[in-house]
Amino acid sequence: MTKDCLVILGDESWKFMINEKFVATAHPQCYATVPIAYAFSHYMIESQSDNEILLQINIKNLLAAFRSVQGFSGGMTILKLTKKNNIALLSFEMWQDDGNELKVNVIQDVSVKPIQHSKLYLYEEPALGEYHGSAILPKLKSIKTVIERMRIIISNSNSSERANLYINNNDGRLLLETKTDHCSLKTIYNGLSVDNRQLHEDQSSNARRNENIKANIDLKYLLKVIQALNPLSIKSTIIAITKRTCVTIHAHLLTHGANNINRNDDDDDSSLSRITFYLCVYLDDDDDSDDDEDEDEEDEDEDDEKTMDATNDSETNTDTNDNDID
């Protein structure tokens, strides 16, 4: 997706952030969290900035270092944030026991660029008001095949790689549709229902008013997200639409290792590894008219509630007058 990312070293987790500062097209943006217990058996961090350290890191180099550690079976590995020749580094020291003593067998350094904590606001994850539509993401292999076939048809017609994503909140139906000058192709998945209110703390009661929620997205970037998810061990994945804003794909990950043997499926979200992608949506005149209709419906409901309140007040005043006459 990109060359670099921001990594926040915290006392409870590592956070990975890829936003428009790293992605040339401004999307897809990606945010991930890995609890400390999933990666380290002993861990210590000291910082005067909320106990957090911000580093810009080359993703490929960091991944190569962790793979080296994973393949090292000689002993233990110690990770240090240090400086060598005035260059900030994450230094992976792989120690081995030769029978007499522990000594460093391999050292692999990854250069990093420290970022001032006061600039964290430039990288923070988007704050969404609510999800208007949401569903369980279909199986990755299936939807990947669908997207690739749609892109082939579009490429042969010289059309843009746009597609409409529809989510039906009532029956959990997800529809992906693309059109060219000569044909229309759509794929429907059923039974993918999920409750928005369990996904978003600020979810309002009106957010699920419409049955079908639509978002116009770019298939190229949706495929990038699916390909990024494909090698991961995933517990659950949700796809959600926030109208006129973005499509969110949120995955909870299964993490295997010696540090995780006491964890189970009942752990709360904060104790799980997760990765979230944000895709931009494209707006057209139909979207504007749909939103106007939604606003009109909400205004009508508010007027009805006011009318009912006024009626109740009138009845109360009438009863009071009757009592006074008696």
Side-chain angles (χ1 to χ4, degrees):
M1 291 177 58
T2 185
K3 180 181 177 181
D4 293 346
C5 75
L6 180 76
V7 180
I8 301 178
L9 313 184
D11 54 1
E12 294 184 355
S13 64
W14 277 27
K15 298 177 181 179
F16 299 81
M17 299 183 173
I18 300 174
N19 68 353
E20 65 272 11
K21 294 185 69 65
F22 299 108
V23 184
T25 58
H27 78 125
Q29 297 184 27
C30 176
Y31 298 81
T33 302
V34 179
I36 293 303
Y38 283 151
F40 304 98
S41 56
H42 301 282
Y43 183 83
M44 183 179 68
I45 184 171
E46 292 182 2
S47 170
Q48 295 180 354
S49 302
D50 297 334
N51 234 17
E52 291 181 337
I53 300 174
L54 280 57
L55 303 173
Q56 181 175 329
I57 302 179
N58 181 285
I59 300 173
K60 184 177 179 180
N61 293 342
L62 181 63
L63 181 60
F66 274 112
R67 283 177 173 167
S68 296
V69 171
Q70 189 177 29
F72 179 69
S73 58
M76 67 177 182
T77 300
I78 298 176
L79 173 59
K80 297 178 180 179
L81 176 60
T82 184
K83 273 189 175 183
K84 294 181 181 179
N85 299 322
N86 208 32
I87 298 175
L89 301 168
L90 282 177
S91 183
F92 293 78
E93 298 179 353
M94 289 163 249
W95 292 68
Q96 190 169 26
D97 189 350
D98 63 0
N100 297 317
E101 61 178 354
L102 277 173
K103 60 181 181 179
V104 178
N105 185 292
V106 179
I107 297 177
Q108 188 163 345
D109 294 330
V110 178
S111 61
V112 299
K113 177 184 177 182
I115 302 295
Q116 293 180 359
H117 196 273
S118 61
K119 295 183 178 180
L120 176 59
Y121 73 95
L122 297 173
Y123 304 87
E124 288 181 334
E125 190 167 357
L128 301 179
E130 58 190 12
Y131 297 143
H132 295 96
S134 58
I136 299 170
L137 186 70
K139 291 183 178 179
L140 297 179
K141 183 178 180 180
S142 173
I143 196 167
K144 178 176 180 290
T145 301
V146 168
I147 297 171
E148 289 173 341
R149 289 178 179 175
M150 285 185 173
R151 293 188 70 198
I152 291 173
I153 293 175
I154 291 172
S155 64
N156 292 332
S157 64
N158 295 321
S159 301
S160 65
E161 295 195 28
R162 303 279 182 84
N164 287 325
L165 171 68
Y166 296 89
I167 293 178
N168 188 303
N169 282 322
N170 286 348
D171 59 14
R173 182 175 58 184
L174 183 148
L175 184 149
L176 190 63
E177 176 186 40
T178 188
K179 295 180 180 180
T180 69
D181 294 336
H182 306 290
C183 68
S184 173
L185 178 64
K186 66 175 65 175
T187 299
I188 300 174
Y189 296 91
N190 293 306
L192 302 176
S193 181
V194 66
D195 188 351
N196 289 355
R197 289 161 291 187
Q198 294 181 0
L199 302 175
H200 206 292
E201 295 178 356
D202 299 328
Q203 193 71 45
S204 69
S205 59
N206 291 328
R208 296 177 65 86
R209 179 184 300 278
N210 294 330
E211 293 183 0
N212 284 303
I213 307 299
K214 171 190 169 186
N216 187 261
I217 57 177
D218 193 310
L219 290 174
K220 175 183 177 180
Y221 299 115
L222 178 59
L223 182 61
K224 279 189 174 184
V225 172
I226 300 303
Q227 290 172 333
L229 289 171
N230 195 52
L232 304 177
S233 299
I234 297 174
K235 177 182 178 182
S236 62
T237 309
I238 302 298
I239 183 168
I241 297 174
T242 300
K243 290 195 300 184
R244 301 177 59 83
T245 306
C246 69
V247 169
T248 304
I249 298 177
H250 182 78
H252 281 149
L253 308 180
L254 293 172
T255 310
H256 307 285
N259 300 329
N260 314 321
I261 56 176
N262 293 325
R263 299 187 178 273
N264 55 59
D265 292 340
D266 295 329
D267 289 338
D268 58 74
D269 290 354
S270 62
S271 67
L272 296 173
S273 295
R274 65 94 180 180
I275 187 168
T276 304
F277 296 89
Y278 296 92
L279 289 165
C280 295
V281 299
Y282 300 88
L283 304 180
D284 53 32
D285 294 338
D286 292 338
D287 294 325
D288 292 335
S289 61
D290 290 342
D291 287 343
D292 291 339
E293 290 177 4
D294 293 342
E295 291 176 1
D296 290 340
E297 289 180 3
E298 292 179 5
D299 292 340
E300 289 176 2
D301 289 343
E302 291 178 0
D303 291 340
D304 290 342
E305 291 177 1
K306 291 178 180 178
T307 301
M308 291 178 63
D309 292 339
T311 302
N312 292 334
D313 291 341
S314 298
E315 292 175 354
T316 303
N317 292 335
T318 302
D319 293 341
T320 303
N321 292 335
D322 291 341
N323 292 333
D324 291 342
I325 294 173
D326 292 340

